[in-house]
Each structure stands twice: as structure tokens, then as C-alpha cells.
Amino acid sequence: MRLRKLPIRRKMPMDLPYIEKLFREEVGLDIKEHKDKGEVISETVVEIYEELLRKGIENANYNGRDYVSYNDLPITEDLERNINRFIQDRGEEVLKAFIDYLAELEEELLKVQEALPPLDEELHKKKGDILGGIMLTFAEVAKMINGERKLYAETIPVTREVLRSMI
């Protein structure tokens, strides 16, 4: 089973104040001047999650399984570090909007021809942590690209491409 493009809506329910606080407290990156970019940042996080899931599906298929496990996802060392950091500092409850969104995403995917294979219990439980880790990784990469505390609008697409190249 192979997914082409995931047919989902792109509007993310992540609150900008939460993104601002997470970026400022965890990475020291200020995005106040780019309040309109909160949705783009959230969409990027979901895109990266989708890419991880796509590659996880391919790995599960290669290994002859009809379900996707956490170990099937191409989690890099940096992303794993940020997932663990997110778990320690924030916990899953702060990403309830992301979790609810992903549940809707999975329901939508089940309606299309190429349905999403089932996720194992560990992966299902770690979705919020993975999203939090991706969010922290986005902030770190953006800050490295900028070299400053401020986020510049032109940094966002570059950060998106760097994150895509990491998986």
C-alpha cells in the first residue's frame, strides 16, 4: 500500500500564543512580528508528520506488515532528542488540538481508496509527542538559519525545506 498525496484540509487548530510561547521559552526565538505565520508553521509541522507517516508506511510494507509502528518512522537523532525534550517540558496535553486534528485526518484517510494502515499502540500514543518534537525542531532550525532571536518571513520556507530534507 502506498499513499500518493494525503487528501486533507490544511487548516491547523494550533493557537498562535502557544506557538509563540513554545518558540520563545524552549528555543529563544521570537515570532511576534509574524503572527500571520502561525498557521504556516502549524501546516509545516503537519506536513513533516505526514512525510514521516508516508515513509513509515513504506517501511512497514517493506517489512511485510500491514500496520505502522513507531520504529518504522524515519526519526532522526535530533528529532528524537526534541521529542524527548517536549515530553519532559510540556507533555501531550498541550497539543490536544493537534491530536484531535490528527484523529480527523485519520478518519478522512480511511474514506479514500488508499486508506491509512493501522498504527500500533505505541505510535498512536506518541503522535502528540512527535508533533511537539517537530515543532521544537522547526524552531531550532529557523533560529540556526536566522542566527538571531527574531523569525524572518523568508526563513519559514527555507526551514520547511531543511526539515523535509532531514526525513
Side-chain angles (χ1 to χ4, degrees):
M1 178 184 315
R2 192 175 170 108
L3 290 177
R4 282 176 266 142
K5 183 154 171 63
L6 298 177
I8 63 163
R9 58 189 169 84
R10 286 284 182 202
K11 182 121 169 91
M12 266 306 301
M14 181 55 99
D15 294 332
L16 181 65
Y18 174 74
I19 295 172
E20 283 182 38
K21 184 177 179 182
L22 181 70
F23 280 25
R24 186 177 50 255
E25 288 180 2
E26 297 294 332
V27 182
L29 186 65
D30 184 17
I31 63 169
K32 280 190 182 249
E33 292 179 21
H34 298 288
K35 291 186 183 255
D36 58 324
K37 301 300 181 199
E39 190 171 313
V40 175
I41 293 168
S42 292
E43 289 171 358
T44 300
V45 169
V46 170
E47 274 181 36
I48 300 304
Y49 177 79
E50 289 173 0
E51 281 299 315
L52 286 172
L53 196 55
R54 270 191 205 98
K55 297 212 174 168
I57 291 168
E58 289 174 8
N59 289 337
N61 288 336
Y62 179 78
N63 291 316
R65 282 186 277 102
D66 59 351
Y67 65 91
V68 182
S69 76
Y70 180 77
N71 293 328
D72 290 323
L73 303 182
I75 305 284
T76 64
E77 191 175 313
D78 285 335
L79 180 54
E80 184 71 39
R81 180 180 46 79
N82 279 324
I83 290 169
N84 291 331
R85 181 174 160 197
F86 182 80
I87 291 168
Q88 284 181 332
D89 296 345
R90 299 287 171 188
E92 189 173 299
E93 68 280 351
V94 295
L95 285 180
K96 181 157 178 22
F98 262 138
I99 302 299
D100 293 344
Y101 175 78
L102 288 174
E104 291 174 27
L105 166 66
E106 289 167 7
E107 285 178 28
E108 289 179 34
L109 287 171
L110 290 174
K111 294 176 186 173
V112 298
Q113 287 179 340
E114 297 176 288
L116 180 68
L119 307 179
D120 76 355
E121 190 64 30
E122 179 187 17
L123 178 54
H124 191 70
K125 286 180 180 178
K126 286 190 171 188
K127 285 189 290 190
D129 299 331
I130 293 168
L131 289 163
I134 295 169
M135 186 71 77
L136 288 174
T137 303
F138 181 99
E140 283 182 349
V141 170
K143 187 171 182 184
M144 281 195 271
I145 291 169
N146 281 336
E148 296 181 26
R149 187 174 170 87
K150 287 184 175 180
L151 176 68
Y152 296 107
E154 51 277 353
T155 303
I156 294 172
V158 175
T159 302
R160 175 182 279 170
E161 291 309 310
V162 168
L163 288 176
R164 279 186 184 148
S165 71
M166 290 172 66
I167 57 172

